[in-house]
């Protein structure tokens, strides 16, 4: 795919002890410069030096070896059986996890994907704590009309299996933030390719590639439209077929002339209004925590919500 048009808005060695040349212990290995040698009891004789048959010892050794073989085969068989029970060998673990993540949209309850309350310890400006409350959940859907045209074009290579969205407000109800989980149809290679493209071309910081908010009627986000978008973040995962994003704005419906990506708005010294208000922290902090919860669900999708 050719680059998208740029419509930016400015803004260690062997152990000596195990070596044949290892020095002897002081006074313990030499006597008058000659080595001390001790001889063991000759094999095949008893303590009175009477001959005794070797068959008993050979038989016992044979039994011991056979027992070891049986034990070893048992351990190997157990390991193989274990790998079958978990769905494949260790080499396929990454692919199994990737595939499992792609089905979370219908196997995990909405209250776990988008908790009713999200704690953001240290997520605010200057390390201040944040608490977000969910005020609306959009019906799960496809991606038609869910993104601005250029963002839709940028995400097209990975496809759209399902889109889940929820909108939150902060404790003071001064800000609103929509967070989204785009479950794609892509494999690992395609997700890696898209992630690299977002990184190398700076797609996550372009104002013409901002995600759209979910404005639910009769909520604090009722007036949260495209012109109210103040800060945003887009994260393309490479260990799951998911794109996580968030976009924030003021709850009073004020429009924003110069949106600032969360990557820039959370930097020290940022002076733009969205940065000063902490809207970059709102978007980044909430997106990070929803992403963490998603990763936990990949390993335990059937547990009850906590």
């Amino acid at each position: 795919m050719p680059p998208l048009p740029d419509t930016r808005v400015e803004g260690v060695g062997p152990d000596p002890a195990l070596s044949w040349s290892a020095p002897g212990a002081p006074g313990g290995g030499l006597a008058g410069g000659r080595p001390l040698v001790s001889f063991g009891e000759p094999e095949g004789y008893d303590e009175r030096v009477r001959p005794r048959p070797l068959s008993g010892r050979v038989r016992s050794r044979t039994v011991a070896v056979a027992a070891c073989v049986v034990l070893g085969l048992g351990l190997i068989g157990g390991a193989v059986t274990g790998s079958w029970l978990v769905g494949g060998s260790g080499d396929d673990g990454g692919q199994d996890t990737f595939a499992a993540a792609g089905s979370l949209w219908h196997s995990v309850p909405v209250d776990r994907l988008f908790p009713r309350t999200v704690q953001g310890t240290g997520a605010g400006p200057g390390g201040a704590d944040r608490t977000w409350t969910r005020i609306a959940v959009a019906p799960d859907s496809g991606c038609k009309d869910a993104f601005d045209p250029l963002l839709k074009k940028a995400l097209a290579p990975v496809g759209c299996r399902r889109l889940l969205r929820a909108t939150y407000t902060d404790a003071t109800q001064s800000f609103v933030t929509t967070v989204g989980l785009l479950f794609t149809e892509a494999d690992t290679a395609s997700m890696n390719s898209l992630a690299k493209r977002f990184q190398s071309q700076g797609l996550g910081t372009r104002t013409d590639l901002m995600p759209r908010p979910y404005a639910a009627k009769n909520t604090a986000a009722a007036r949260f439209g495209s012109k109210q978008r103040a800060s945003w973040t887009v994260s393309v995962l490479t260990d799951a077929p998911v794109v996580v994003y968030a976009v924030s704005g003021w709850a009073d419906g004020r429009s924003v002339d110069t949106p600032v990506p969360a990557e820039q708005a959370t930097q020290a010294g940022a002076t733009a209004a969205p940065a000063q208000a902490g809207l970059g922290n709102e978007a980044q902090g909430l997106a990070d925590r929803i992403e963490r919860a998603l990763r936990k669900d990949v390993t335990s999708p059937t547990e009850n919500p906590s």
Side-chain angles (χ1 to χ4, degrees):
M1 178 186 297
L4 292 169
D6 191 346
T7 56
R8 302 172 187 266
V9 175
E10 292 296 326
V12 190
D15 186 346
L18 301 180
S19 171
W20 285 108
S21 61
L30 298 176
R34 305 179 69 176
L36 291 175
V37 179
S38 62
F39 295 91
E41 181 182 2
E43 184 171 348
Y45 293 84
D46 61 15
E47 67 277 3
R48 297 182 182 180
V49 197
R50 293 178 300 187
R52 61 185 177 192
L54 297 176
S55 59
R57 178 169 295 189
V58 172
R59 185 182 302 110
S60 63
R61 286 183 175 178
T62 302
V63 172
V65 170
C68 290
V69 171
V70 172
L71 178 59
L73 291 175
L75 291 173
I76 294 172
V80 172
T81 302
S83 68
W84 291 339
L85 290 175
V86 299
S89 67
D91 294 339
D92 296 329
Q95 289 299 323
D96 292 342
T97 300
F98 186 92
S103 64
L104 293 180
W105 64 270
H106 64 76
S107 63
V108 176
V110 65
D111 282 349
R112 198 160 70 199
L113 286 174
F114 297 122
R116 294 177 182 273
T117 302
V118 177
Q119 298 298 330
T121 303
D129 295 341
R130 281 287 190 267
T131 298
W132 296 285
T133 301
R134 194 187 73 200
I135 58 176
V137 176
D140 63 280
S141 65
C143 294
K144 183 180 180 180
D145 301 325
F147 301 109
D148 285 350
L150 282 179
L151 180 56
K152 181 179 180 179
K153 181 179 180 181
L155 296 173
V158 295
C160 173
R161 176 172 298 169
R162 216 67 176 180
L163 177 63
L164 308 182
R165 296 170 292 170
T167 298
Y168 289 77
T169 186
D170 68 312
T172 66
Q173 295 192 0
S174 298
F175 313 119
V176 285
T177 303
T178 291
V179 59
L181 296 174
L182 167 59
F183 288 83
T184 75
E185 300 172 336
D187 56 14
T188 305
S190 296
M191 293 302 292
N192 272 286
S193 177
L194 183 63
K196 290 178 180 177
R197 186 162 179 254
F198 261 74
Q199 180 66 31
S200 64
Q201 298 183 21
L203 303 186
T205 61
R206 288 177 47 165
T207 54
D208 54 352
L209 295 175
M210 282 191 295
R212 287 179 177 174
Y214 174 60
K217 296 180 180 180
N218 303 317
T219 70
R223 293 181 288 175
F224 189 20
S226 294
K227 294 182 178 180
Q228 284 69 42
R229 294 176 290 187
S231 192
W232 76 100
T233 182
V234 178
S235 177
V236 181
L237 308 189
T238 56
D239 53 353
V242 182
V243 176
V244 183
Y245 68 84
V247 56
S248 61
W250 279 278
D252 60 9
R254 75 182 74 175
S255 59
V256 180
D257 295 328
T258 308
V260 183
E263 179 182 327
Q264 298 173 12
T266 56
Q267 293 179 359
T271 59
Q276 292 287 304
L279 282 162
N281 299 81
E282 296 291 308
Q284 190 68 66
L286 188 54
D288 285 348
R289 282 150 183 83
I290 295 300
E291 180 179 326
R292 291 177 200 171
L294 178 72
R295 292 180 185 280
K296 290 181 181 179
D297 282 324
V298 172
T299 58
S300 56
T302 59
E303 293 180 1
N304 293 323
S306 56

